[in-house]
Amino acid sequence: MKVLMERGNQFVVSRNKPIEEQVLDIISSFNQGIKDVELKGYGREIDRTVDVYNVLKEKLGDGVVLVDVSIGSEFKDKRRVSYLLFRLRKSF
């Protein structure tokens, strides 16, 4: 299973892959020409999503802009699961 699952421009964070690798996956997408990226974490991965964003911001600085932050919940496997969604834009 690919841990930082990529769906077009959406990355879903998981605990099985180091944060640095997840950040590199997003930077690689930016380098391939994708301008907008969604970074999403469910349930216990919400805190890790914030960590991925902070490391990405630390590495790229003003090269990445936080466009929007959303919180909510979705039904997964007949259970309601909370999520955190960051919408990011490449600015370099």
Side-chain angles (χ1 to χ4, degrees), residues 2 7-8 12 30 39 42 47 52 56 67 69 84 87 92:
K2 187 174 180 184
R7 292 184 222 145
V12 178
F30 284 150
L39 180 61
Y42 291 97
D47 63 329
V52 170
L56 183 66
V67 176
V69 177
L84 174 67
R87 287 189 178 87
F92 58 90

Side-chain angles (χ1 to χ4, degrees), residues 34-50:
I34 294 176
K35 299 235 185 261
D36 295 313
V37 167
E38 293 182 347
L39 180 61
K40 194 171 195 178
Y42 291 97
R44 295 185 339 198
E45 282 78 24
I46 288 175
D47 63 329
R48 193 163 177 91
T49 305
V50 174

Side-chain angles (χ1 to χ4, degrees), residues 1-19 21-26 29 34 36-43 45 48-49 52 74 76-77 81 83-86:
M1 176 177 151
K2 187 174 180 184
V3 177
L4 184 65
M5 296 186 309
E6 185 179 344
R7 292 184 222 145
N9 66 341
Q10 186 179 76
F11 293 88
V12 178
V13 176
S14 182
R15 294 195 179 273
N16 298 333
K17 190 172 183 180
I19 290 173
E21 286 184 36
Q22 297 180 58
V23 170
L24 284 175
D25 288 344
I26 295 169
S29 292
I34 294 176
D36 295 313
V37 167
E38 293 182 347
L39 180 61
K40 194 171 195 178
Y42 291 97
E45 282 78 24
R48 193 163 177 91
T49 305
V52 170
E74 297 176 358
K76 295 183 101 178
D77 299 325
V81 180
Y83 69 84
L84 174 67
L85 174 69
F86 290 117

Side-chain angles (χ1 to χ4, degrees), residues 46-68:
I46 288 175
D47 63 329
R48 193 163 177 91
T49 305
V50 174
D51 292 341
V52 170
Y53 168 73
N54 286 333
V55 171
L56 183 66
K57 188 67 175 173
E58 185 179 297
K59 289 189 180 291
L60 297 181
D62 293 334
V64 65
V65 176
L66 180 62
V67 176
D68 187 35

